[in-house]
Amino acid sequence: MPFKLNQNTNWRLNFYLIFSGQFMSGLTTMIVQYAFMWYITDVLKSATALSLSTLMMFLPWIFLAPVAGVVIDRWSKKAIMIGMDLLAALVAIIISMTIGQFAGGALLTLLLVAMLTRAITQVFQQPTLNTIVPAIVPEAQLTKANGQIQTLQSLTAIIAPGLSAVLFGIMPMQWIILLDVIGAVFGSLTVLLAYVPQTLPQAEDVSFFHNMRLGVRELMQHRGIFQYSVLSLIAIMFIMPGASLYPLMTTQHFGGTIGQAGIVETVWSVGSLLGGLFISIWGAGKNRFVAIFSSLVVMGATFSIFGLLPSNQRGFWIFAGLNIFAGFGLAFMNSPFMAIVQERIKPEMMGRVMSVLMALTNIGAPIGLMFAGPLADQFGIAQLFILAGVATLITAGVALLLPAVRQIDKK
């Protein structure tokens, strides 16, 4: 194909080509995922069911992420990206063709299987993307590039909830699911046309488990990165269950509608977009630990306030408005830390370390989600938000007390 990019292509053109495809693929995926959430919220009205659906999206990160890292470091990154997109498209076609034959609990099971399968493809795709970035972007531009990625992801999250809510009201679920096929094909084509450096050859043919141990060992050599990863695990263990119950917080605690639930998700995403734009233009400051620490404080404070709001429409609009600060904080929690990791880890170890890091970071969500649904059904969703906020503030305090984490941005 004569129009494919090569190693002499301007890195910005190459970078934007890849991530324009990922934007489209991510947008269609999120539209479908929100459609699943609206169904569970509208029909089942159960915090446990909603938590279970979110749990399906995190379980593969625990069991498959270390294996994915070995695959990423040994196989063609293009093949992985395209193969996972096409697998997601195939699953979407199958679910679309069969979903009309199920109802009630059986339909929920089918939706959970769809979410689980899509998460498996993400376990391979997301770390691969994170290893491609430092391979095509100059080191001095990594923080801003990650800010731009955060901006694209936030823009996706802004558009998806409202659009999904509209489509949920006017289209059969079968047709909404097929949007994932369109996004997957577009994402595959852009990766196919882009220039992605070849995977470095391995010095020896060693086992998967040995490679995983190498990734863990490399990560632990960077004490600040490793310690913050553990703290991030703890924070996410409390934050994610609350975030997964946003629709029920809106409809049950505040007495709102599915449309208002979409508004909350959109406001959160606008905040995240603003945070990503800020980082992509101005960076995250000379000491990126300050940005990371501040993000934890903002997330903890806003979640604590959420649980104290009155259960009426006035409380809802305060809840919706404050989410712009929570979303802004989320951008600074992710992008600066990812840039630090990409700067410190050796290229030939990047895939293994990135997957181990993501497994370590994401293991907190399933742990929290296993308890969040039943606790929310028993004691109320508001109390869950107070617990999440206080725990996140404590995590921020611990980060400040650990010297290695406090100096994480010092080479």
Side-chain angles (χ1 to χ4, degrees):
M1 301 176 69
F3 45 88
K4 286 177 65 175
L5 305 186
N6 55 52
Q7 65 267 32
N8 297 318
T9 303
N10 181 280
W11 72 265
R12 294 183 189 276
L13 176 60
N14 200 34
F15 175 78
Y16 293 136
L17 175 64
I18 292 174
F19 283 93
S20 64
Q22 295 311 303
F23 169 74
M24 178 60 70
S25 178
L27 175 61
T28 55
T29 296
M30 287 193 70
I31 288 173
V32 174
Q33 287 177 345
Y34 273 112
F36 291 157
M37 287 175 57
W38 303 147
Y39 171 82
I40 294 171
T41 302
D42 188 46
V43 177
L44 299 179
K45 299 180 174 64
S46 167
T48 300
L50 202 55
S51 295
L52 189 61
S53 68
T54 308
L55 180 62
M56 291 300 102
M57 294 186 283
F58 281 93
L59 282 178
W61 288 100
I62 302 174
F63 299 106
L64 291 180
V67 175
V70 178
V71 172
I72 292 165
D73 282 334
R74 297 173 69 90
W75 294 2
S76 164
K77 293 178 175 58
K78 271 196 175 188
I80 294 171
M81 292 295 297
I82 294 173
M84 291 300 104
D85 262 335
L86 295 181
L87 175 60
L90 177 61
V91 170
I93 292 172
I94 294 173
I95 297 295
S96 177
M97 292 173 62
T98 58
I99 196 171
Q101 304 172 22
F102 297 90
L107 180 56
L108 174 62
T109 301
L110 186 67
L111 297 180
L112 294 179
V113 171
M115 291 179 175
L116 179 65
T117 307
R118 195 65 182 86
I120 291 172
T121 65
Q122 287 295 304
V123 168
F124 287 88
Q125 275 191 320
Q126 193 60 52
T128 303
L129 272 175
N130 288 333
T131 62
I132 290 174
V133 173
I136 63 176
V137 176
E139 182 175 323
Q141 299 293 326
L142 275 176
T143 298
K144 291 185 177 181
N146 279 284
Q148 291 170 6
I149 295 170
Q150 179 72 51
T151 301
L152 280 178
Q153 291 172 342
S154 301
L155 187 60
T156 300
I158 288 171
I159 299 171
L163 183 56
S164 178
V166 171
L167 294 176
F168 184 74
I170 64 175
M171 289 176 62
M173 184 67 82
Q174 295 94 314
W175 295 107
I176 299 176
I177 293 171
L178 288 178
L179 291 175
D180 216 4
V181 178
I182 298 173
V185 171
F186 188 81
S188 297
L189 287 175
T190 54
V191 171
L192 183 64
L193 296 175
Y195 168 70
V196 177
Q198 292 293 320
T199 301
L200 295 173
Q202 301 294 311
E204 53 180 330
D205 187 15
V206 295
S207 70
F208 274 73
F209 292 105
H210 179 71
N211 273 289
M212 284 187 281
R213 286 197 299 272
L214 290 176
V216 173
R217 185 186 305 167
E218 177 73 17
L219 179 61
M220 294 185 70
Q221 288 178 359
H222 301 268
R223 183 177 297 178
I225 292 175
F226 176 73
Q227 290 181 355
Y228 177 74
S229 300
V230 175
L231 292 177
S232 178
L233 180 158
I234 296 171
I236 290 173
M237 185 171 64
F238 290 96
I239 291 173
M240 186 52 64
S244 72
L245 298 178
Y246 265 31
L248 284 179
M249 183 70 168
T250 299
T251 58
Q252 288 189 2
H253 183 73
F254 295 116
T257 65
I258 292 293
Q260 287 181 316
I263 290 173
V264 173
E265 300 284 351
T266 300
V267 171
W268 166 288
S269 302
V270 168
S272 187
L273 172 65
L274 294 175
L277 285 172
F278 187 98
I279 296 171
S280 65
I281 297 172
W282 293 289
K286 293 182 179 180
N287 184 353
R288 286 172 287 189
F289 168 75
V290 175
I292 294 171
F293 170 76
S294 300
S295 71
L296 288 171
V297 172
V298 170
M299 295 284 288
T302 51
F303 268 60
S304 298
I305 295 172
F306 292 162
L308 299 172
L309 292 173
S311 55
N312 52 37
Q313 282 295 293
R314 179 172 174 270
F316 165 77
W317 289 112
I318 297 174
F319 170 64
L322 286 177
N323 265 287
I324 200 164
F325 297 101
F328 193 89
L330 179 67
F332 280 84
M333 186 177 175
N334 292 334
S335 298
F337 177 65
M338 189 57 62
I340 291 171
V341 173
Q342 290 168 341
E343 292 171 8
R344 301 290 192 273
I345 304 301
K346 294 179 289 188
E348 63 271 19
M349 296 294 296
M350 188 68 73
R352 278 165 284 194
V353 170
M354 199 65 71
S355 292
V356 172
L357 184 64
M358 287 191 164
L360 187 61
T361 302
N362 284 293
I363 196 173
I367 294 173
L369 287 165
M370 284 189 293
F371 299 99
L375 285 174
D377 285 334
Q378 182 69 30
F379 300 106
I381 299 174
Q383 284 69 28
L384 193 69
F385 275 93
I386 295 174
L387 175 63
V390 172
T392 305
L393 289 173
I394 293 173
T395 304
V398 175
L400 191 62
L401 293 175
L402 292 174
V405 177
R406 202 167 56 245
Q407 300 173 13
I408 194 172
D409 200 21
K410 295 181 180 179
K411 294 186 179 179

